[in-house]
Amino acid sequence: MMDLIPAPRRITGEHRGHGRLDAGTRLEAGPGTEGVARWLRATVGAATGLPLDGHGDGASRIRLAVDPALPPEGYRLSLGGPDRLIAGGSAAGVFWGAQTLRQLLGPDAFRRAPLRPGRHWELPEITVEDEPRFRWRGLMLDVARHFMPKEGVLRYLDLMAVHKLNVFHFHLTDDQGWRVEIRRHPRLTEIGSWRTRTKFGHRASPLWDEKPHGGFYTQDDIREIVAYAAERHIAVVPEIDVPGHSQAAIAAYPELGNTDVVPASGEDGGALSVWDTWGISPHVLAPTEDTLRFYEGVFEEVLELFPSEFVHVGGDECLKDEWRASPAAQARIRELGLADEDQLQSWFIGHFDRWLSARGRRLVGWDEILEGGLAPGATVSSWRGYAGGIAAARAGHDVVMCPEQQVYLDHRQHDGPDEPVPIGYVRTLEDVYRFEPVAPELTPAEARHVLGAQANLWTEAMEDHARVDYQAFPRVAAFAEVAWSGLPAPVERDFAGFERRMEAHYGRLDALGVGYRPPSGPRPWQRRPGVLGRPIDGPPPNR
């Protein structure tokens, strides 16, 4: 497979020899491919020192073209001879073909400036024909627990593009922070985006980082991130959590909480603050009309910023003790004719399902939204294993498979003592490579509801981008191949062959400055000795 990751469907002509790119190579962009040409000049052009303009004087050229006969994200990369073609079923297909071209040029094509100006660059004279298995090839980044500045987010979009991932799930709000500017509710960021200190390690750890932590993205920051992603054919799906995981919002606007149970105060009797530790906060949104109107205002601004088809509303880990104790919440259950608190959560989610559908968007939520009855138009992110996804698909709902036992990248990569802040099950590179998004129990008709798969980066134990790099890579490369390539059944997959291709891919990651976990184990500066984690022994359950 010419060391390509993810592996393409078909390569022909592997023994035909090599051609070359040089300063005279022309780059010709057909209609609809101008953005891909800009990207090639900005990345491959910068790394190689080649102008790649449309007026080169040599015989060599690269043509970009949309070919409607190809699948929308499929491409054909024809490199035989001096007249090279990247054709795609859409501009996205052309872009993915350009990513393959970059890989074929070698690791130095991933740098930001040429190492040896004036050199020529060799390309194998091959033809690559390729298309993705799934339409949803996602990566979720949690910026609520530990904020990642805008430049870091843009960098992650670039890393997603390298791996042909096309959905960026942007986890923007949680108990520990609110990260997106909402102009009609300014206290969400004035108060909700900062916490006074942060637990270091697992919540059972005695260690604290005593300096304030926080930050948020202005609306113009969000517009920039969305535009940057669109240039890389990545959809940005925002997540605004309701009705649980909302302590930061309640800290900013106490009337959003169940004030008849917890009257705008925290456990110590003081004002409820943005949470500084991990776990599941007991403080959830009050099921009132005022709360609905508040979040409708939030979502109105979110929809202006994010053009994506899907909007994620969370819906997970909503502890219902406050609702059980709240006379107002119990009166609401009776008023609505509901059976219990699970149905109250279903009512809450169903309201926003209808609200988003009326505006041409689709609601997606974690698999807890199945409890109490699934909203008619909802899509399910199945995280607690396969069961939620199976149930949703059988009921005719679309599903994104992201089971924590398989593709939660905060889980540790090895059981060795040097693994930093070890969380969860051991999930090695090979384990991720053998992840299968479509459960065998599904019929072909049910399996069509599986939109794809997603790997999730929860950042409680990832205090900076170096820790995120370590947890994400190299496993993102294995996940990308699962989501893109038409792999055989998990037990039949050629992991040894993937490891051989990874030897070249580590060179690309090095050129990109990615602080991945080396196959031999963490480097000294990647360790976190003495910081308590929460390892779980044994293999994870499959379902």
Side-chain angles (χ1 to χ4, degrees):
M1 289 296 181
M2 305 293 294
D3 295 330
L4 295 174
I5 288 177
R9 301 265 171 157
R10 186 173 180 225
I11 295 179
T12 55
E14 290 190 58
H15 305 292
R16 274 190 286 184
H18 290 77
R20 55 187 277 174
L21 304 182
D22 54 32
T25 299
R26 302 192 308 279
L27 177 61
E28 299 178 2
T33 70
E34 296 85 357
V36 181
R38 284 194 299 272
W39 179 86
L40 275 166
R41 293 186 186 105
T43 54
V44 174
T48 61
L50 304 180
L52 296 179
D53 60 27
H55 308 289
D57 56 7
S60 173
R61 69 172 177 168
I62 301 171
R63 291 185 296 120
L64 310 178
V66 172
D67 180 353
L70 294 170
E73 287 192 280
Y75 68 88
R76 183 175 63 254
L77 177 62
S78 302
L79 301 178
D83 188 10
R84 302 169 183 90
L85 173 67
I86 308 176
S90 66
V94 178
F95 182 72
W96 304 131
Q99 292 290 348
T100 299
L101 175 78
R102 189 187 191 188
Q103 287 198 19
L104 290 169
L105 286 168
D108 287 350
F110 291 80
R111 297 188 179 273
R112 297 191 181 187
L115 301 187
R116 289 172 289 280
R119 67 177 275 198
H120 70 265
W121 294 73
E122 290 191 341
L123 274 174
E125 293 188 330
I126 61 173
T127 298
V128 182
E129 296 172 283
D130 202 7
E131 64 180 284
R133 178 186 180 191
F134 292 111
R135 60 170 283 201
W136 187 302
R137 306 180 301 281
L139 183 69
M140 190 223 71
L141 180 63
D142 167 18
V143 296
R145 273 51 178 267
H146 279 100
F147 179 65
M148 181 177 285
K150 179 190 69 178
E151 288 302 316
V153 175
L154 299 179
R155 174 177 176 266
Y156 257 77
L157 291 169
D158 281 331
L159 294 174
M160 288 180 64
V162 166
H163 294 86
K164 298 185 173 74
L165 300 176
N166 70 338
V167 178
F168 178 53
H169 177 167
F170 207 4
H171 185 80
L172 288 163
T173 73
D174 216 295
D175 300 309
Q176 296 84 4
W178 184 285
R179 305 294 181 216
V180 57
E181 177 189 22
I182 302 297
R183 288 177 176 165
R184 74 188 71 185
H185 301 306
R187 295 209 304 271
L188 286 171
T189 47
E190 291 171 359
I191 295 171
S193 70
W194 293 90
R195 56 181 182 260
T196 57
R197 64 176 187 168
T198 298
K199 176 68 72 172
F200 193 48
H202 183 253
R203 62 181 176 270
S205 167
L207 304 175
W208 293 88
D209 182 347
E210 295 290 348
K211 65 177 181 292
H213 176 87
F216 66 93
Y217 309 102
T218 68
Q219 294 204 353
D220 281 346
D221 289 337
I222 294 292
R223 291 185 180 96
E224 180 183 357
I225 288 167
V226 169
Y228 194 86
E231 290 174 350
R232 287 145 184 80
H233 300 277
I234 296 170
V236 182
V237 175
E239 181 179 357
I240 306 294
D241 262 298
V242 296
H245 283 293
S246 298
Q247 182 166 329
I250 298 168
Y253 290 93
E255 63 271 22
L256 295 174
N258 297 280
T259 55
D260 56 344
V261 178
V262 184
S265 66
E267 292 82 352
D268 60 358
L272 185 66
S273 61
V274 177
W275 215 20
D276 57 10
T277 189
W278 318 125
I280 307 172
S281 169
H283 301 297
V284 301
L285 298 174
T288 67
E289 290 298 317
D290 286 345
T291 300
L292 296 182
R293 300 294 86 75
F294 182 97
Y295 272 87
E296 286 172 0
V298 169
F299 282 116
E300 282 177 6
E301 295 193 28
V302 167
L303 296 192
E304 291 174 2
L305 297 170
F306 296 92
S308 58
E309 176 184 2
F310 292 92
V311 175
H312 208 293
V313 300
D316 61 315
E317 298 179 328
C318 178
L319 299 182
K320 301 179 176 67
D321 294 341
E322 285 189 355
W323 287 351
R324 293 186 185 96
S326 164
Q330 292 301 309
R332 189 65 156 158
I333 289 173
R334 292 191 297 272
E335 174 192 342
L336 295 168
L338 304 177
D340 54 22
E341 291 78 16
D342 284 344
Q343 286 196 0
L344 184 61
Q345 176 172 337
S346 178
W347 164 83
F348 204 110
I349 298 298
H351 174 85
F352 286 104
D353 177 55
R354 294 185 295 275
W355 190 92
L356 289 167
S357 294
R359 289 154 181 81
R361 306 298 184 94
R362 297 179 64 184
L363 179 145
V364 56
W366 303 108
D367 57 52
E368 285 94 331
I369 67 173
L370 289 159
E371 298 167 2
L374 186 57
T379 295
V380 171
S381 298
S382 187
W383 76 273
R384 292 180 298 177
Y386 285 81
I390 292 169
R394 285 177 171 168
H397 290 267
D398 287 341
V399 176
V400 177
M401 294 304 303
C402 49
E404 64 169 331
Q405 303 92 335
Q406 313 297 330
V407 287
Y408 267 34
L409 301 185
D410 51 316
H411 283 214
R412 58 192 172 135
Q413 303 184 63
H414 194 273
D415 61 2
D418 290 332
E419 207 62 29
V421 200
I423 301 294
Y425 297 102
V426 172
R427 293 287 83 194
T428 65
L429 184 66
E430 181 173 1
D431 291 329
V432 175
Y433 191 68
R434 297 193 189 281
F435 164 57
E436 173 48 50
V438 179
E441 298 96 316
L442 296 176
T443 67
E446 292 165 347
R448 283 194 286 274
H449 285 291
V450 179
L451 301 180
Q454 181 171 290
N456 294 340
L457 286 160
W458 298 104
T459 62
E460 290 95 333
M462 302 181 212
E463 71 276 11
D464 54 32
H465 89 270
R467 282 285 294 124
V468 176
D469 275 9
Y470 180 90
Q471 293 299 132
F473 292 97
R475 293 184 293 182
V476 160
F479 171 78
E481 186 147 312
V482 168
W484 177 279
S485 305
L487 297 177
V491 295
E492 299 170 5
R493 293 176 187 172
D494 181 11
F495 179 69
F498 175 78
E499 281 191 303
R500 286 192 297 273
R501 286 182 284 121
M502 278 301 299
E503 293 175 11
H505 200 64
Y506 286 123
R508 299 174 193 131
L509 297 179
D510 286 332
L512 289 163
V514 177
Y516 58 85
R517 182 190 190 276
S520 59
R523 297 181 173 96
W525 56 87
Q526 293 174 320
R527 301 167 189 166
R528 296 293 186 275
V531 182
L532 187 66
R534 185 182 63 91
I536 303 175
D537 293 329
N542 287 327
R543 294 289 181 266

